[in-house]
Amino acid sequence: MARVAVVTGGTRGIGAAISKGLKDAGYLVAANFGGNEEAAAMFSEETGIKTYKWSVADYEGCENGIKQVEADLGPVDVLVNNAGITRDAMFHRMTVQQWNDVIDTNLHGVFNMTHPVYPGMRERKWGRIINISSINGQKGQAGQTNYSASKAGDLGFTKALAQEGARFGVTVNAICPGYIATEMVKAIDEKILNEKIIPQIPVGRLGEPEEIARAVVFLASEDAGFITGSTLSANGGQFFV
Ligand code: CAA
């Protein structure tokens, strides 16, 4: 029987490519989204993938959302924590709201989503949790103390839960995309993007969402069963750990 995969933020950007990649690889996919109904409807029409609306920042919303997915598709085998937001500002100008919004979605969201699905994976002795962190969680980025902290937190979470899940067949890995051609990156001031960011990428271009999706499909597969607690960097050579 086809395995069930949930992708948060799965209707746009990198998440949409991940949802499609998993569907093409034979998974039953549930694509979660937080707010953009129009994009979700278009995505669903185009791909035939079922979409589900809830905020990953809301624990109860996640619990209820997962219950609904399980009722519709079956127990969740693969969770891709992809939903993420930016609220960039230099630290001296960052508001409490900008800090909290980013931590709530990018870090608390990973807890809120993983907590309801992990016990079932543990009982069934099989699971894949794939956290989409960021190059900026590895290296830090001026203007992103909130985002860098949240994404670095996701890496710590990955390594800790990997140790807990290993005996139960649950692998937990992270992917750190670099700058990928999505709305989030295209929202950066064009001058900053062209003059400061792209020149720092040795391959000389932004990444494509599908280049992240293919890595997710691999980490979700049986073939990746010995890989856990790892961080896979996909950043065009911009940063090595
Ligand atoms: N390092 C150190 N100082 C920097 C800096 C840097 N990289 N960038 C800017 N500064 C300095 C500027 O020189 C300036 O100093 P002075 O006032 O002394 O001249 C000061 O910081 C203010 O800079 P700005 O004029 O740019 O300030 P702003 O308030 O207009 O904009 C910002 C601040 C919104 C953070 C803007 O700099 C910006 O958008 N930076 C890009 C941040 C970034 O890379 N975000 C990634 C988004 S994509 C993503 O997050 C996906 C992913 O995972 C990779």
Side-chain angles (χ1 to χ4, degrees):
M1 229 176 73
R3 293 198 188 277
V4 174
V6 175
V7 182
T8 66
T11 63
R12 293 197 295 141
I14 294 175
I18 294 171
S19 297
K20 287 186 218 167
L22 287 169
K23 185 188 176 207
D24 291 347
Y27 294 82
L28 279 177
V29 178
N32 151 268
F33 69 102
N36 192 331
E37 305 260 5
E38 204 182 317
M42 266 172 58
F43 170 83
S44 194
E45 199 177 315
E46 181 200 318
T47 62
I49 295 172
K50 205 164 157 49
T51 61
Y52 294 83
K53 184 177 178 185
W54 71 81
S55 166
V56 299
D58 169 17
Y59 185 81
E60 249 182 59
C62 293
E63 272 189 317
N64 294 333
I66 292 294
K67 273 190 202 140
Q68 188 59 53
V69 170
E70 296 200 326
D72 293 348
L73 306 178
V76 177
D77 302 300
V78 177
L79 170 64
V80 185
N81 285 310
N82 164 77
I85 59 168
T86 54
R87 295 288 181 267
D88 293 359
M90 300 305 278
F91 185 64
H92 61 287
R93 278 197 222 118
M94 185 171 288
T95 64
V96 172
Q97 180 90 40
Q98 286 173 319
W99 175 267
N100 285 341
D101 284 351
V102 168
I103 300 294
D104 280 349
T105 297
N106 300 5
L107 181 58
H108 294 162
V110 170
F111 172 84
N112 294 343
M113 282 301 299
T114 309
H115 204 243
V117 301
Y118 179 72
M121 291 179 174
R122 196 171 176 274
E123 267 165 37
R124 294 188 301 275
K125 303 249 179 318
W126 202 93
R128 297 281 189 262
I129 294 164
I130 300 159
N131 297 321
I132 307 301
S133 176
S134 165
I135 185 175
N136 292 343
Q138 297 173 296
K139 73 172 184 58
Q141 170 61 48
Q144 288 199 309
T145 46
N146 49 3
Y147 186 87
S148 299
S150 70
K151 293 295 186 176
D154 291 337
L155 296 180
F157 175 94
T158 299
K159 292 170 194 172
L161 190 60
Q163 293 178 38
E164 295 186 22
R167 286 184 298 141
F168 302 97
V170 181
T171 68
V172 190
N173 291 289
I175 297 175
C176 286
Y179 284 73
I180 308 297
T182 62
E183 281 171 40
M184 183 186 275
V185 165
K186 288 176 188 160
I188 301 172
D189 183 277
E190 216 180 310
K191 204 167 142 64
I192 294 182
L193 192 60
N194 290 331
E195 291 176 13
K196 290 201 174 158
I197 295 175
I198 293 179
Q200 290 172 11
I201 306 174
V203 304
R205 64 169 175 88
L206 297 176
E208 293 300 326
E210 292 71 21
E211 291 179 301
I212 304 305
R214 287 192 286 272
V216 170
V217 171
F218 169 63
L219 288 174
S221 71
E222 289 297 341
D223 288 345
F226 200 57
I227 302 176
T228 194
S230 76
T231 300
L232 178 60
S233 299
N235 61 33
Q238 190 180 350
F239 183 75
F240 308 126
V241 241

